[in-house]
Amino acid sequence: MTESKVPDIIIGRMPMYLRALTRMAEEGKTITSSQELGTRLGLSSAQIRKDLSQFGEFGKQGTGYNIDFLAEQIRRILKVDGLWEVALIGIGHLGTAIANYGGFVDRGFQVAALFDNQPDIIGKQIGRLTVQPMQTMVEEIRHKKIRIAMITVPAKVAQQVADACIEAGVRSILCFAPTSITTPKGVRVEYSDPVLHLQRMTYYLQS
Amino acid sequence: MTESKVPDIIIGRMPMYLRALTRMAEEGKTITSSQELGTRLGLSSAQIRKDLSQFGEFGKQGTGYNIDFLAEQIRRILKVDGLWEVALIGIGHLGTAIANYGGFVDRGFQVAALFDNQPDIIGKQIGRLTVQPMQTMVEEIRHKKIRIAMITVPAKVAQQVADACIEAGVRSILCFAPTSITTPKGVRVEYSDPVLHLQRMTYYLQS
DNA sequence: TAGATTGTTAATCGATTAACAATC
DNA sequence: TAGATTGTTAATCGATTAACAATC
């Protein structure tokens, strides 16, 4: 009966809180407050307390929040206290940069398989991984029980690659191609398109 | 008196509309409707009509919207009908991928200067650009009157790089480092952190 | 014309904020 | 203790949706 669903918009802010807490810990801090977190993130302290209260009581009146403790709770809530294997499809410039990126593992993710369909890219070695041909993708994702894919292919083929990923069992897709893709219920998509962010800012610039 | 400010959240959706329209045009379509756009983007048709009505009347009753015309209007509204020069700071794996990315120009942006502080990276040639040392950054950005920067440096130095950019005249920053940065009023920041997107989706996955 | 779709209004829904008792 | 900050309630604010006259 207290089973009310946490709003998506709050789930969307939790990773920001986790990131800020991680930075604070790196800076050697051990305690923070909703006020301090809010200032860092440009949010009100009330909003941060309200958001966190959706999941439990993590603070102490008069003192604030223990940074390590709160970070650990948020990791547990978001289920990033383990390590998710992620498939990466499209090993061009961007895909290569992502495959080489060292910042995934300590935030809960590991690139576990690379795919492309270009003959000159297949077989390429990146770290401990070898780029595999697209034809093997569905079987490989299914076999490894991978649930998350990052798609860095051209916009034109993003939908069909996404479809294949979903067929193979993927349930979360991070799409880097500048296009929207449609997915059946139960499959989430998020988009990472830097140009979208740039275009959001030019409106406010005086040309 | 009708000078009411357009909500940020609507400005944030306009680039999505533009991207969808561009894809439709590529597919050879010439006309669309709020209904069709909504289906593609996962939004209600009412919301799309309401958003567009903030800026004018772009459609025809009974017919819908001319895709090329509406796209052009949105480009004008967002001020991406020209070409903004952008500085890119931090030429590691990700910075290199971004410098090589071909998808900026036809969406209103051009990477116009590259900076890094690593001796083995300075002088590197990417396309028609040469990586310049950080020491020259402020002068160079000021001289070229660049207003937009993309920051792909480690989190630890992101704030100081941002500060230098702002000193040089930058007013919009796209931060790829996994950290929040604070800026004075009048300077906008957006963040591109793929891990944030991934962490938003794991909550909904059954582990 | 008949059918379709816009632009807009009013109603609904949901998110944010202000305020404060509880308490460390 | 006195000061500080939480968790929560109620009030406010803003965004979304439903509905429809206007009209192509």
Side-chain angles (χ1 to χ4, degrees):
Chain A
M1 45 235 350
T2 49
E3 265 301 291
S4 68
K5 188 181 163 292
V6 177
D8 284 357
I9 197 161
I10 293 183
I11 300 300
R13 281 191 293 262
M14 298 301 283
M16 296 173 42
Y17 300 161
L18 177 55
R19 191 174 70 175
L21 290 166
T22 304
R23 295 283 312 151
M24 286 177 174
E26 281 170 20
E27 290 163 14
K29 299 177 64 71
T30 59
I31 302 273
T32 188
S33 64
S34 58
Q35 170 68 61
E36 186 182 38
L37 263 171
T39 302
R40 288 230 185 186
L41 295 169
L43 304 173
S44 74
S45 62
Q47 177 161 76
I48 287 172
R49 292 197 301 278
K50 190 103 204 287
D51 285 359
L52 295 176
S53 75
Q54 295 279 333
F55 304 100
E57 305 189 359
F58 305 119
K60 263 213 195 57
Q61 284 105 322
T63 310
Y65 302 91
N66 177 294
I67 289 173
D68 285 339
F69 175 75
L70 181 55
E72 201 45 48
Q73 296 307 308
I74 295 178
R75 280 191 202 99
R76 181 182 51 75
I77 291 163
L78 294 177
K79 300 183 191 149
V80 291
D81 47 354
L83 203 52
W84 293 92
E85 293 199 322
V86 180
L88 177 61
I89 302 102
I91 316 299
H93 282 299
L94 180 59
T96 302
I98 290 173
N100 277 302
Y101 180 56
F104 286 118
V105 171
D106 60 359
R107 299 173 77 192
F109 302 91
Q110 179 163 54
V111 177
L114 311 175
F115 301 97
D116 204 299
N117 66 355
Q118 299 282 104
D120 55 323
I121 291 178
I122 295 166
K124 204 172 124 187
Q125 191 79 18
I126 300 182
R128 31 167 207 89
L129 296 174
T130 306
V131 179
Q132 298 182 268
M134 284 293 297
Q135 290 77 28
T136 69
M137 188 181 81
V138 170
E139 197 194 310
E140 186 75 5
I141 288 179
R142 194 173 281 150
H143 176 250
K144 289 194 166 169
K145 295 186 168 48
I146 292 176
R147 319 295 303 278
I148 306 173
M150 294 191 283
I151 295 183
T152 48
V153 300
K156 228 181 170 86
V157 295
Q159 181 69 59
Q160 73 185 69
V161 167
D163 292 345
C165 287
I166 293 164
E167 186 201 332
V170 161
R171 291 295 171 266
S172 299
I173 295 173
L174 179 51
C175 177
F176 290 82
T179 185
S180 295
I181 57 186
T182 61
T183 58
K185 227 170 138 280
V187 180
R188 298 214 152 230
V189 189
E190 296 254 339
Y191 299 93
S192 181
D193 181 350
V195 176
L196 236 65
H197 290 289
L198 295 174
Q199 290 182 336
R200 271 173 197 160
M201 296 192 285
T202 48
Y203 175 82
Y204 302 94
L205 287 174
Q206 58 256 35
S207 40
Chain B
M1 36 206 30
T2 48
E3 265 301 290
S4 68
K5 188 181 162 293
V6 177
D8 284 357
I9 197 161
I10 293 183
I11 300 300
R13 281 191 294 262
M14 297 301 284
M16 295 173 43
Y17 300 160
L18 177 55
R19 191 174 71 176
L21 291 165
T22 304
R23 296 282 312 151
M24 286 177 174
E26 281 171 20
E27 291 164 12
K29 299 177 65 70
T30 58
I31 301 274
T32 189
S33 64
S34 58
Q35 170 68 61
E36 186 181 38
L37 264 171
T39 302
R40 287 230 186 186
L41 295 169
L43 304 173
S44 74
S45 61
Q47 177 162 77
I48 287 172
R49 292 197 302 277
K50 189 102 203 289
D51 284 359
L52 295 176
S53 75
Q54 295 279 334
F55 304 100
E57 306 189 359
F58 305 121
K60 264 212 196 54
Q61 283 105 323
T63 311
Y65 301 92
N66 177 293
I67 289 173
D68 284 340
F69 175 75
L70 181 56
E72 201 44 49
Q73 295 308 308
I74 294 178
R75 280 191 202 97
R76 181 183 50 76
I77 290 162
L78 294 177
K79 300 185 191 148
V80 291
D81 48 353
L83 204 53
W84 293 92
E85 293 198 320
V86 180
L88 177 61
I89 303 101
I91 316 299
H93 281 299
L94 179 59
T96 302
I98 291 173
N100 277 303
Y101 180 56
F104 285 118
V105 171
D106 60 359
R107 298 173 77 192
F109 303 92
Q110 180 163 56
V111 177
L114 310 176
F115 302 97
D116 204 299
N117 65 356
Q118 299 281 106
D120 55 324
I121 292 178
I122 295 166
K124 202 172 126 188
Q125 192 78 18
I126 301 182
R128 31 166 207 88
L129 296 174
T130 306
V131 180
Q132 297 182 268
M134 284 295 295
Q135 290 77 28
T136 69
M137 187 181 80
V138 170
E139 198 194 310
E140 186 75 5
I141 288 179
R142 194 174 281 150
H143 176 251
K144 289 194 166 169
K145 295 185 167 44
I146 292 177
R147 319 296 302 278
I148 306 173
M150 293 190 283
I151 296 183
T152 49
V153 301
K156 227 181 169 88
V157 296
Q159 182 68 59
Q160 72 185 70
V161 167
D163 293 343
C165 287
I166 293 163
E167 187 202 332
V170 162
R171 290 295 171 266
S172 299
I173 294 173
L174 179 50
C175 178
F176 290 81
T179 185
S180 295
I181 57 186
T182 60
T183 58
K185 227 171 136 281
V187 180
R188 297 213 154 231
V189 189
E190 295 253 342
Y191 299 92
S192 181
D193 180 351
V195 176
L196 236 65
H197 291 289
L198 294 174
Q199 291 181 336
R200 273 174 195 158
M201 295 192 286
T202 48
Y203 175 82
Y204 302 95
L205 286 174
Q206 57 256 36
S207 40

